[in-house]
């Protein structure tokens, strides 16, 4: 099994949290670099069009303007699939 790293980002809401995959990389160094560049704002990650915070019915919801969090996790690749 080969180890890969899944790139993650998400948005927290009043009642739930949505997590999205930003893809996969082969090394932890690449994953750290991906996370750090986005945290510093060097790379913009567009909000998914179906993101729930876009449809929040609360007119003054502070979570509508939030920035996403970024992270990664180690995953094992099995027979060509992750």
């Amino acid at each position: 099994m080969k180890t890969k790293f899944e790139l993650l980002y998400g948005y927290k809401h009043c009642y739930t949290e949505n997590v999205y995959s930003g893809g996969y990389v082969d090394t932890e160094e690449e994953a750290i670099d991906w996370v750090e560049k986005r945290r510093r704002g060097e790379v913009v990650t567009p909000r998914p069009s179906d993101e729930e915070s876009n449809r929040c019915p609360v007119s003054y919801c502070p979570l509508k303007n939030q920035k996403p969090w970024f992270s990664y996790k180690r995953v094992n690749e099995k027979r060509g699939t992750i």
Side-chain angles (χ1 to χ4, degrees):
M1 281 190 288
K2 182 178 179 186
T3 300
K4 286 195 169 257
F5 297 86
E6 184 176 12
L7 309 171
L8 303 170
Y9 65 103
Y11 296 88
K12 187 153 181 70
H13 305 288
C14 324
Y15 52 90
T16 189
E17 183 172 20
N18 291 344
V19 179
Y20 301 97
S21 177
Y24 296 88
V25 292
D26 293 324
T27 67
E28 190 167 17
E29 291 77 19
E30 290 174 295
I32 291 169
D33 186 54
W34 185 89
V35 168
E36 291 303 316
K37 283 182 177 177
R38 280 152 182 79
R39 285 183 181 166
R40 289 191 302 261
E42 293 175 17
V43 177
V44 177
T45 302
R47 187 180 299 239
S49 59
D50 63 342
E51 170 55 38
E52 291 178 60
S53 62
N54 291 333
R55 300 185 311 269
C56 182
V58 179
S59 37
Y60 294 104
C61 176
L63 299 177
K64 284 184 181 179
N65 296 321
Q66 72 175 303
K67 293 183 180 183
W69 55 261
F70 298 97
S71 188
Y72 66 92
K73 70 177 179 180
R74 183 183 313 265
V75 294
N76 291 318
E77 184 178 26
K78 299 179 187 178
R79 290 187 237 136
T81 61
I82 296 176

